Amino acid sequence: MRGSEDWRQTFSGLIPPGPENRESMWAQMEELFPVYRSLCGPGFLQSLEIMRKYLPLEIVEFPTGAEVLDWTIPPEFKVNEAWVEDPDGNRILDFAKEPYSVWIYSQPFEGEVDKDELLEHVVTMPYLPDAVPLRQAYFRKAWGLCMPDNMLQRLKPGKYKVKIDTEHNQGFLRMGEYYLPGEVETEILISSYLCHPRGANDNLSGCVVAAELFRLLAQVPDRYYSYRLVIWPETIGPITYIDKYPDRLAKTIGGYQFGICGDDRPVRIDRTKRNNSVFDRAAHHAMLLCGQEINSRKFNIFGGSDPMHFNSIGVDLPIANITRAGSSTEGGYPEYHSSADNLDLVSADNLLGTLEIGWAACMAVDRARRYKGTYTATPFLSRYGVFPYQHGAGVGGNATIIGEAYYALMPSVDGEQDLLEIADWFDLPIFAFDECVSAFKKAGLIVDADAV
Amino acid sequence: MRGSEDWRQTFSGLIPPGPENRESMWAQMEELFPVYRSLCGPGFLQSLEIMRKYLPLEIVEFPTGAEVLDWTIPPEFKVNEAWVEDPDGNRILDFAKEPYSVWIYSQPFEGEVDKDELLEHVVTMPYLPDAVPLRQAYFRKAWGLCMPDNMLQRLKPGKYKVKIDTEHNQGFLRMGEYYLPGEVETEILISSYLCHPRGANDNLSGCVVAAELFRLLAQVPDRYYSYRLVIWPETIGPITYIDKYPDRLAKTIGGYQFGICGDDRPVRIDRTKRNNSVFDRAAHHAMLLCGQEINSRKFNIFGGSDPMHFNSIGVDLPIANITRAGSSTEGGYPEYHSSADNLDLVSADNLLGTLEIGWAACMAVDRARRYKGTYTATPFLSRYGVFPYQHGAGVGGNATIIGEAYYALMPSVDGEQDLLEIADWFDLPIFAFDECVSAFKKAGLIVDADAV
Amino acid sequence: MRGSEDWRQTFSGLIPPGPENRESMWAQMEELFPVYRSLCGPGFLQSLEIMRKYLPLEIVEFPTGAEVLDWTIPPEFKVNEAWVEDPDGNRILDFAKEPYSVWIYSQPFEGEVDKDELLEHVVTMPYLPDAVPLRQAYFRKAWGLCMPDNMLQRLKPGKYKVKIDTEHNQGFLRMGEYYLPGEVETEILISSYLCHPRGANDNLSGCVVAAELFRLLAQVPDRYYSYRLVIWPETIGPITYIDKYPDRLAKTIGGYQFGICGDDRPVRIDRTKRNNSVFDRAAHHAMLLCGQEINSRKFNIFGGSDPMHFNSIGVDLPIANITRAGSSTEGGYPEYHSSADNLDLVSADNLLGTLEIGWAACMAVDRARRYKGTYTATPFLSRYGVFPYQHGAGVGGNATIIGEAYYALMPSVDGEQDLLEIADWFDLPIFAFDECVSAFKKAGLIVDADAV
């Protein structure tokens, strides 16, 4: 994209992500990582409380057992103690040391089982033999354990003592919310899921990038749209949101999920079902602006989690997924859903890179409105005091990209193309239009064709 | 396409073409080949009678002289005797030995002509000097002969005796029809033309593949659409059909012609004028499923014969042509429309390969319906007893393609995309959806948006 | 394109550009080149008078000071005398020798200035150090001079005598117009701008090609559309036209500007904002017909001048730019807007090549109408006496492209596709359809679906 190499200098009025965001995100990662989380339970609440130190999230609660769409909110899950002792009395698994050892939402169990019976309840990850896989028993009744495959291979015959002391308690599904009002009530939804125990890349990375984005959005003085952040548990979170907030959905035009955002792969967008919505185009625009090639996948089977539900039947909201590796089902990364998904896998620089593209995408969406020119053909700009002489136009030299934007705008504001389509057509950063749009508006040369 | 390498195993409930179809088609080819056919006449009738041994075609008749659209049904054509003797009295041409020697629908003639006059009535094929070309005098009055170019080059001066004893009799244009009712009366038209004398590739191959297809379609227990096969003479056949069956046309949504289906070239589709109709897409899907690259041409000048009329003005039905070499005007094959178009040019394997793709295309069309989800966002599948655990989904492993189809279906049944578009989007065989569509229907999770 | 190599022979009834047009255009170039022109003034009028020797243009006048849209028609500009003498009394610049020495529309000035003050009013062209740039002071009050950069580098300190004796007089903006009526009043607008002093490539080349085009169009016996040529000054010309002729605009469906048409680069089209209008497609078709690859740019920031205004808000007419080098802002040519843009830069052959493509594009637009077949399926052509036997069709050989056009036409005249879309689909020159369209019309087989 023309002008992408020095956009931070050219558009110096913007407040893009910087080193302080990098530090803030990493501090948050380190503080959140050790907490044991599940869909609902004390760890999820504790994690939201940690995040509130960085962004004043409001915590909302929905009681266990409530019907949401045709789902039911699960109980809170808590592990008091869980371990396995081998025939020699060695404690070979211990939740206290490795929280992945017990299935999330495992039923309690206590007893002595022989090796064969034990194995029916044990899952390993043969291609990462030292790692403990993540396994859950959501929405079904079962007990189970996870161990390194190397351990499984060395288990000796005999009786094993198993203790799984878990609780499934009446309680709450919790979401952390943050709302930034804009000029209009039409809103953009930004989401991320916080339900995995540990999981540095999947998905603390997504949560901290999404939250940091709102610290930046809060500094934008003239937001057009309103922005809402929701941090929830996967699947049942968005299902609950869709059920409980029809009024909000009616005002929402789409948004982004941030999921798996901290590894070394380039930032990618998993597009919406609409395939070419403003959110898809804005992410592409942001990649080009930030000097990255477009890295984009069409709507796919797992849809990056939240997008699967929002793009679906009866909701039809274009929510795209901003990610790096994406989930394992599409190539992904080998440590996905295992104890190896730790802080070594992610970096502060990668979080910052994802944040930059996410921020630029939101800035592009916010500007991607439709304008209608009030003039015929070409206005005599000098009469309105808006001629771009200061940008090299009209005096025989070459106009800068800000000067070019005046010329690009004039024939294009037909009330049908949005400003992002215009910017993409002329291969200009959408920020290059800030000045001329503002000047044309003030002069009455264009009016908002999108007014809500 | 994912899953194409072992689709016959994966979708074991289907009844795809097999060795018995191969044998049946070849037997039919051998029996049909020696018969001398023309648009209307005893050979056409005899050929339909042979085909009835394999598929119970109904024979319908339209009398000579009837006006159909602005055409007129021609008389029946019959050759009693036709030969040429050279100045030395050698019989150099004889219909009894080589039926291509006389133009189809040639007027009778008897007399002595010198070489120059003879040549005005003789056609050869210089690029295949040993072959006798196929030439006709449809819808105009002329007499004529065909010979190998090698023979023409050696003709000596002098008087030639010519006898062409042909009859143009009041009689009938005949079609062979076969109808398979489905769940709805909406019908798919499958056609082929049987009017060429001999012509193994053009076009006995098309007739036997089309007829064999109906032996397979008859075994499909749950056809959605009704299927109609018509075997007719080229051009005047479809013109008559269009004139005589407006009620059928009103119920027809499109279909396929099978023409030139037995040579060694890969199966090809000559697309409909609409260019991206379900029949076009289904043929592409079938090619990928059957492990062949898409081989496709846009609607062209000769349109593969029947498609030219059906895709045209006032009819506008998307009929595509399933072929191999296609007609000579687009590259084609050198033996086209000559005595060299014999059984050596075609093989039972090639017929089977064309049948497989034609069958798979019909199976895809039959499934390519629009469904509308009755749920919001994502249903809680277990509640309906339809969760694809048995296909590896939801238990931490990788789902099979049948399992993936559940996830592909859920966000996509918007009542606008048809199932083939959904399958193509997710690069899945449409057969992978049979289970989830059936389960979702039974559970009331989707309803038919196409109901006629 | 099939048939492009010998289209002049195949379609011998046409009157395409030839050597006499080449000579006529070059004579006009030589006569026009020495005249000093500006937006309004005696040189512009003198130039129109020269052009009238070749094509009977009507000269229309709009008075200085008139408001047109939100612009004002400028005064006539005239340079009586302009020179600079260096501290030694040498006359280093003289308008009489180099008319680019003074800014167009410069205010008058007389006085002695030291070198530094002089330099504030001097513009050079460092990358063409021997050339004098073209600079203007349109719509603002300033005095200024241009000189070769080599001269500027050698200026010595001291006092310079400057005399700029210019007049800004009440007078007229003038346009040269020529109108050719067609079968319908719907009109095609062809424009070019004549306001640059000298400027062989930019833009005498465009003016003479556009005018010569009308000498050819005048010889077309059966023009469907009406054609209007307007030669005006850049920007204020089309603005005035748009303001003054709403009735004409209402009848205009689009057209072409000819701008920068004589250099050695291949002919190019700068497309309309609609991007795929009949004018865009016709130019592509013309390039292929004339044996050139498609050379095409999408609507861009400067839009080739006139197109910028016509494609814009409140007018929305698809006017494309037919050019070679295009303006400097898109790569262009180094001599653009300088004294080096002289007759050495252009050639009669290049003018002829541009004319040929422009002519063919207009011929294609004129034929690009929508027809509706009155028959069902396929008419029995012989009954109407229109069967293309004479073009090799239907008698066993290969049809010529004129014969093929019959087959291409039959299924395609659906009242939606225009004839150019049909020709492009079948890769045939649109001229190949002249015969069958005429025959089908006469037989009542098609009717005009575009009738105005």
Side-chain angles (χ1 to χ4, degrees):
Chain A
M1 180 184 288
R2 289 185 294 147
S4 63
E5 63 293 336
D6 53 3
W7 67 270
R8 284 170 173 263
Q9 285 69 51
T10 308
F11 311 113
S12 55
L14 301 170
I15 309 171
E20 68 288 4
N21 303 103
R22 185 185 179 283
E23 299 319 309
S24 155
M25 287 190 288
W26 193 251
Q28 216 172 149
M29 287 293 290
E30 289 187 320
E31 202 169 352
L32 286 166
F33 183 71
V35 181
Y36 180 74
R37 285 169 294 271
S38 66
L39 296 180
C40 306
F44 196 97
L45 177 59
Q46 183 191 346
S47 298
L48 286 179
E49 295 292 0
I50 292 170
M51 292 187 74
R52 291 179 77 176
K53 294 196 261 177
Y54 298 82
L55 187 78
L57 295 167
E58 180 187 358
I59 298 176
V60 292
E61 299 184 328
F62 304 91
T64 302
E67 302 275 321
V68 284
L69 302 180
D70 55 7
W71 299 61
T72 306
I73 292 180
E76 293 197 27
F77 176 66
K78 192 177 158 199
V79 182
N80 294 319
E81 187 183 4
W83 48 259
V84 174
E85 287 176 0
D86 73 5
D88 302 333
N90 300 314
R91 187 163 290 198
I92 57 171
L93 283 187
D94 191 343
F95 174 81
K97 291 183 181 156
E98 175 48 71
Y100 281 55
S101 301
V102 62
W103 294 4
I104 319 173
Y105 278 80
S106 173
Q107 293 297 314
F109 178 79
E110 185 163 8
E112 230 178 35
V113 296
D114 59 23
K115 183 185 164 188
D116 283 351
E117 188 181 348
L118 178 70
L119 291 191
E120 287 170 21
H121 294 266
V122 167
V123 173
T124 70
M125 205 170 201
Y127 62 90
L128 264 191
D130 292 324
V132 182
L134 174 64
R135 191 54 50 97
Q136 57 311 91
Y138 295 160
F139 306 108
R140 59 191 175 112
K141 302 227 166 188
W143 67 266
L145 299 159
C146 297
M147 65 176 62
D149 198 62
N150 282 340
M151 179 185 288
L152 178 103
Q153 300 303 336
R154 291 191 306 262
L155 289 184
K156 54 179 71 168
K159 288 289 185 188
Y160 286 78
K161 279 195 191 151
V162 175
K163 177 159 192 190
I164 302 179
D165 176 7
T166 56
E167 296 178 27
H168 295 68
N169 299 317
Q170 189 68 21
F172 296 97
L173 178 153
R174 294 184 181 86
M175 302 179 189
E177 291 187 4
Y178 186 70
Y179 179 74
L180 281 172
E183 188 181 326
V184 294
E185 290 197 342
T186 306
E187 66 186 66
I188 311 291
L189 177 63
I190 306 293
S191 68
S192 198
Y193 52 90
L194 181 65
C195 52
H196 290 29
R198 302 193 171 173
N201 200 23
D202 180 17
N203 186 32
L204 291 181
S205 69
C207 293
V208 303
V209 170
E212 198 71 18
L213 172 62
F214 274 71
R215 298 181 66 197
L216 289 161
L217 292 176
Q219 299 173 60
V220 175
D222 54 355
R223 289 181 304 269
Y224 180 69
Y225 294 115
S226 298
Y227 290 81
R228 190 182 301 274
L229 171 69
V230 194
I231 305 290
W232 49 36
E234 212 171 351
T235 307
I236 190 67
I239 293 289
T240 301
Y241 190 89
I242 290 165
D243 185 89
K244 294 300 181 192
Y245 295 116
D247 49 333
R248 287 187 189 173
L249 288 183
K251 288 188 293 191
T252 305
I253 57 169
Y256 296 109
Q257 173 192 265
F258 287 86
I260 308 181
C261 297
D263 60 84
D264 286 338
R265 289 157 192 86
V267 177
R268 187 179 91 208
I269 178 169
D270 295 334
R271 298 199 299 276
T272 69
K273 181 168 172 248
R274 293 189 195 170
N275 201 29
N276 196 27
S277 77
V278 68
F279 299 94
D280 302 302
R281 293 185 282 117
H284 295 174
H285 190 88
M287 287 170 183
L288 294 177
L289 181 79
C290 298
Q292 179 186 307
E293 287 185 8
I294 289 177
N295 184 19
S296 180
R297 290 197 187 170
K298 67 180 187 176
F299 187 70
N300 61 47
I301 291 201
F302 297 100
S305 198
D306 297 348
M308 176 178 163
H309 313 292
F310 282 101
N311 286 277
S312 188
I313 306 310
V315 188
D316 191 22
L317 273 181
I319 306 271
N321 185 29
I322 293 180
T323 186
R324 285 180 179 263
S327 71
S328 69
T329 49
E330 292 282 319
Y333 60 108
E335 302 86 353
Y336 173 77
H337 276 198
S338 84
S339 60
D341 186 349
N342 58 35
L343 289 173
D344 294 339
L345 214 66
V346 300
S347 79
D349 283 342
N350 293 338
L351 296 174
L352 184 62
T354 311
L355 177 62
E356 183 174 78
I357 287 176
W359 170 85
C362 287
M363 293 295 95
V365 169
D366 210 67
R367 284 158 171 80
R369 283 128 67 189
R370 290 178 184 76
Y371 299 102
K372 185 112 191 58
T374 58
Y375 47 84
T376 297
T378 304
F380 187 59
L381 288 183
S382 315
R383 172 169 296 185
Y384 303 93
V386 298
F387 197 83
Y389 290 123
Q390 71 278 26
H391 302 295
V395 291
N398 283 327
T400 65
I401 57 174
I402 293 177
E404 283 191 26
Y406 282 77
Y407 292 95
L409 192 71
M410 277 191 285
S412 306
V413 280
D414 52 16
E416 294 180 11
Q417 296 181 84
D418 67 41
L419 194 67
L420 184 56
E421 289 171 302
I422 297 171
D424 282 338
W425 180 270
F426 293 103
D427 191 29
L428 290 169
I430 197 167
F431 299 136
F433 290 82
D434 284 357
E435 181 182 302
C436 60
V437 164
S438 167
F440 273 50
K441 264 187 185 168
K442 207 170 296 170
L445 288 167
I446 57 173
V447 293
D448 205 322
D450 261 350
V452 181
Chain B
M1 181 184 289
R2 289 185 293 147
S4 62
E5 62 293 336
D6 54 2
W7 68 269
R8 284 171 174 262
Q9 286 69 52
T10 308
F11 310 114
S12 55
L14 302 170
I15 309 171
E20 69 287 4
N21 303 103
R22 184 186 180 284
E23 299 318 310
S24 156
M25 288 190 288
W26 193 251
Q28 214 171 153
M29 288 293 290
E30 289 187 321
E31 203 169 350
L32 285 165
F33 183 71
V35 181
Y36 179 75
R37 284 169 294 272
S38 65
L39 295 179
C40 307
F44 196 98
L45 177 58
Q46 183 191 345
S47 298
L48 286 179
E49 295 292 0
I50 292 170
M51 292 187 74
R52 290 178 77 175
K53 294 196 259 177
Y54 299 83
L55 187 77
L57 295 166
E58 180 187 0
I59 298 176
V60 293
E61 300 184 328
F62 305 90
T64 301
E67 302 275 322
V68 285
L69 301 180
D70 55 8
W71 298 61
T72 306
I73 292 181
E76 292 197 27
F77 176 67
K78 192 179 159 199
V79 182
N80 296 318
E81 188 183 3
W83 48 258
V84 174
E85 287 175 1
D86 72 7
D88 302 333
N90 301 314
R91 186 162 291 197
I92 56 170
L93 284 187
D94 192 343
F95 174 80
K97 292 184 181 155
E98 175 47 72
Y100 281 55
S101 301
V102 62
W103 295 3
I104 319 174
Y105 277 80
S106 173
Q107 293 297 313
F109 178 78
E110 185 163 8
E112 231 179 34
V113 297
D114 59 21
K115 183 185 164 188
D116 284 351
E117 189 181 347
L118 178 71
L119 291 191
E120 286 170 20
H121 294 267
V122 167
V123 173
T124 70
M125 204 171 200
Y127 61 90
L128 263 193
D130 292 324
V132 182
L134 174 65
R135 190 56 49 98
Q136 56 313 90
Y138 295 160
F139 307 108
R140 57 191 177 111
K141 302 227 168 190
W143 68 265
L145 299 158
C146 298
M147 65 176 63
D149 199 62
N150 281 341
M151 179 184 292
L152 178 103
Q153 301 304 334
R154 290 190 308 261
L155 288 184
K156 54 180 68 169
K159 288 289 184 187
Y160 286 79
K161 279 196 191 147
V162 175
K163 177 158 191 190
I164 302 179
D165 175 7
T166 56
E167 295 177 28
H168 295 69
N169 299 316
Q170 188 69 21
F172 297 97
L173 179 153
R174 295 183 181 85
M175 301 179 189
E177 292 188 5
Y178 187 69
Y179 180 74
L180 282 172
E183 188 180 326
V184 294
E185 291 197 342
T186 305
E187 65 185 67
I188 311 291
L189 177 63
I190 306 292
S191 69
S192 198
Y193 52 90
L194 181 65
C195 52
H196 290 29
R198 303 194 171 172
N201 199 22
D202 180 17
N203 186 32
L204 291 181
S205 69
C207 293
V208 304
V209 169
E212 198 70 18
L213 172 61
F214 274 71
R215 299 181 67 198
L216 289 161
L217 292 176
Q219 299 173 61
V220 175
D222 53 355
R223 289 181 304 269
Y224 181 70
Y225 294 115
S226 297
Y227 290 80
R228 189 181 302 272
L229 171 70
V230 194
I231 305 290
W232 49 36
E234 212 171 350
T235 306
I236 190 68
I239 293 289
T240 301
Y241 191 89
I242 290 165
D243 185 89
K244 295 299 182 192
Y245 295 116
D247 49 333
R248 287 187 190 171
L249 289 183
K251 288 188 292 192
T252 305
I253 57 168
Y256 297 108
Q257 173 192 264
F258 287 85
I260 307 180
C261 298
D263 60 84
D264 286 338
R265 288 157 192 85
V267 177
R268 186 179 90 207
I269 179 171
D270 295 334
R271 299 199 299 276
T272 69
K273 182 169 172 247
R274 292 190 196 168
N275 200 29
N276 196 27
S277 77
V278 68
F279 298 94
D280 302 302
R281 293 185 281 115
H284 295 173
H285 191 87
M287 287 169 184
L288 294 177
L289 182 79
C290 297
Q292 180 186 305
E293 287 186 7
I294 289 176
N295 184 19
S296 181
R297 290 197 185 170
K298 66 180 188 177
F299 186 70
N300 62 48
I301 292 201
F302 297 99
S305 199
D306 297 348
M308 176 178 162
H309 313 292
F310 283 101
N311 285 275
S312 188
I313 306 311
V315 187
D316 191 23
L317 274 181
I319 306 271
N321 185 31
I322 293 180
T323 186
R324 284 181 181 262
S327 70
S328 70
T329 49
E330 293 281 319
Y333 61 108
E335 301 86 353
Y336 173 77
H337 277 198
S338 86
S339 61
D341 187 349
N342 58 35
L343 290 173
D344 294 338
L345 214 68
V346 299
S347 79
D349 283 341
N350 293 338
L351 296 175
L352 184 62
T354 311
L355 176 61
E356 183 174 79
I357 287 176
W359 171 85
C362 287
M363 293 295 95
V365 168
D366 210 67
R367 285 158 170 80
R369 281 130 68 191
R370 290 178 184 77
Y371 299 102
K372 184 111 190 58
T374 58
Y375 48 84
T376 297
T378 303
F380 188 58
L381 288 183
S382 315
R383 171 169 295 184
Y384 303 93
V386 298
F387 197 83
Y389 290 123
Q390 72 278 25
H391 302 296
V395 292
N398 284 327
T400 66
I401 57 174
I402 293 177
E404 283 192 24
Y406 282 77
Y407 292 97
L409 193 70
M410 277 192 285
S412 305
V413 280
D414 51 17
E416 294 180 11
Q417 296 181 85
D418 67 39
L419 194 67
L420 183 55
E421 289 171 303
I422 297 171
D424 282 338
W425 181 270
F426 293 104
D427 191 30
L428 290 169
I430 196 167
F431 299 136
F433 290 81
D434 284 357
E435 181 183 303
C436 60
V437 164
S438 167
F440 273 50
K441 265 187 185 169
K442 208 170 296 170
L445 288 168
I446 57 174
V447 293
D448 205 322
D450 261 350
V452 179
Chain C
M1 182 183 289
R2 289 185 294 147
S4 63
E5 62 293 336
D6 53 2
W7 68 269
R8 283 171 173 263
Q9 285 69 52
T10 308
F11 311 113
S12 55
L14 300 170
I15 309 171
E20 68 287 3
N21 304 104
R22 185 185 178 283
E23 299 318 310
S24 155
M25 288 190 289
W26 193 251
Q28 215 171 151
M29 288 292 291
E30 289 187 320
E31 203 170 349
L32 285 166
F33 183 71
V35 181
Y36 180 74
R37 284 168 294 271
S38 65
L39 296 180
C40 306
F44 196 97
L45 177 58
Q46 183 190 344
S47 298
L48 286 180
E49 296 291 1
I50 292 170
M51 292 187 74
R52 290 179 76 174
K53 294 196 260 176
Y54 299 82
L55 187 78
L57 295 166
E58 179 188 359
I59 298 176
V60 293
E61 300 184 328
F62 305 90
T64 301
E67 303 275 321
V68 285
L69 301 180
D70 55 8
W71 299 61
T72 306
I73 291 181
E76 292 197 28
F77 176 66
K78 192 179 159 198
V79 182
N80 295 317
E81 187 183 4
W83 48 258
V84 175
E85 287 174 1
D86 73 5
D88 302 333
N90 300 313
R91 187 162 290 197
I92 57 170
L93 284 187
D94 191 344
F95 174 81
K97 292 183 180 156
E98 175 46 72
Y100 281 55
S101 301
V102 62
W103 295 4
I104 319 173
Y105 278 80
S106 173
Q107 294 297 314
F109 178 79
E110 185 164 6
E112 230 180 34
V113 296
D114 60 22
K115 183 185 164 189
D116 283 352
E117 189 181 348
L118 178 70
L119 290 191
E120 287 171 20
H121 293 267
V122 168
V123 173
T124 70
M125 205 171 200
Y127 61 90
L128 264 191
D130 292 324
V132 182
L134 174 65
R135 191 55 50 97
Q136 56 314 88
Y138 294 161
F139 307 108
R140 58 193 175 110
K141 302 227 167 191
W143 67 266
L145 299 158
C146 298
M147 64 177 61
D149 199 61
N150 281 340
M151 179 185 289
L152 178 102
Q153 300 303 335
R154 290 192 307 263
L155 290 183
K156 53 180 69 167
K159 289 288 187 188
Y160 286 78
K161 278 195 191 150
V162 175
K163 177 158 193 192
I164 302 178
D165 175 7
T166 56
E167 295 178 27
H168 294 68
N169 300 317
Q170 189 69 21
F172 296 98
L173 179 153
R174 294 183 181 86
M175 301 178 190
E177 292 188 4
Y178 187 68
Y179 179 75
L180 282 172
E183 188 181 326
V184 294
E185 291 197 341
T186 306
E187 65 186 67
I188 311 291
L189 177 64
I190 307 292
S191 68
S192 198
Y193 52 90
L194 181 65
C195 52
H196 290 30
R198 303 194 169 172
N201 200 22
D202 180 17
N203 185 32
L204 291 182
S205 69
C207 292
V208 304
V209 169
E212 198 71 18
L213 172 61
F214 274 70
R215 299 180 67 196
L216 289 161
L217 292 177
Q219 299 173 61
V220 176
D222 54 354
R223 289 182 303 270
Y224 181 70
Y225 294 115
S226 298
Y227 290 81
R228 190 181 301 273
L229 171 70
V230 194
I231 305 290
W232 48 37
E234 212 172 349
T235 306
I236 189 69
I239 293 289
T240 301
Y241 190 89
I242 290 165
D243 184 89
K244 295 299 182 193
Y245 295 115
D247 48 334
R248 287 187 189 173
L249 288 183
K251 288 188 293 191
T252 304
I253 58 168
Y256 296 109
Q257 174 192 264
F258 286 85
I260 308 180
C261 297
D263 60 84
D264 285 339
R265 289 157 193 85
V267 177
R268 186 179 90 206
I269 178 170
D270 295 334
R271 297 199 300 277
T272 68
K273 182 169 172 248
R274 292 189 196 168
N275 201 29
N276 196 27
S277 78
V278 68
F279 299 94
D280 302 302
R281 293 184 284 115
H284 295 174
H285 190 88
M287 287 170 184
L288 294 177
L289 182 79
C290 297
Q292 179 187 306
E293 287 185 7
I294 289 176
N295 184 19
S296 181
R297 290 197 186 170
K298 66 179 188 177
F299 187 70
N300 62 48
I301 290 200
F302 297 99
S305 199
D306 298 349
M308 176 178 162
H309 313 291
F310 282 101
N311 285 277
S312 187
I313 305 311
V315 187
D316 191 23
L317 273 181
I319 306 270
N321 185 30
I322 292 181
T323 186
R324 284 180 180 263
S327 71
S328 71
T329 49
E330 292 282 318
Y333 61 108
E335 303 85 352
Y336 173 78
H337 276 195
S338 84
S339 60
D341 186 349
N342 58 35
L343 289 173
D344 295 339
L345 213 66
V346 299
S347 80
D349 283 341
N350 293 339
L351 297 174
L352 184 62
T354 311
L355 176 61
E356 183 174 79
I357 286 176
W359 171 84
C362 287
M363 293 296 95
V365 168
D366 210 66
R367 284 156 171 81
R369 282 129 67 191
R370 289 177 185 78
Y371 298 102
K372 185 110 191 57
T374 58
Y375 48 84
T376 297
T378 303
F380 187 59
L381 288 183
S382 315
R383 172 170 295 185
Y384 303 93
V386 299
F387 196 83
Y389 290 123
Q390 72 277 24
H391 303 296
V395 291
N398 283 326
T400 67
I401 58 173
I402 294 178
E404 285 192 25
Y406 282 77
Y407 292 96
L409 193 71
M410 277 192 285
S412 306
V413 280
D414 51 17
E416 293 181 10
Q417 296 181 84
D418 66 40
L419 194 67
L420 184 56
E421 289 171 303
I422 296 171
D424 282 338
W425 180 269
F426 292 104
D427 191 30
L428 290 169
I430 196 166
F431 299 135
F433 290 81
D434 284 358
E435 181 183 303
C436 60
V437 164
S438 168
F440 273 51
K441 264 186 185 168
K442 208 169 297 171
L445 287 168
I446 56 173
V447 293
D448 205 322
D450 261 350
V452 180

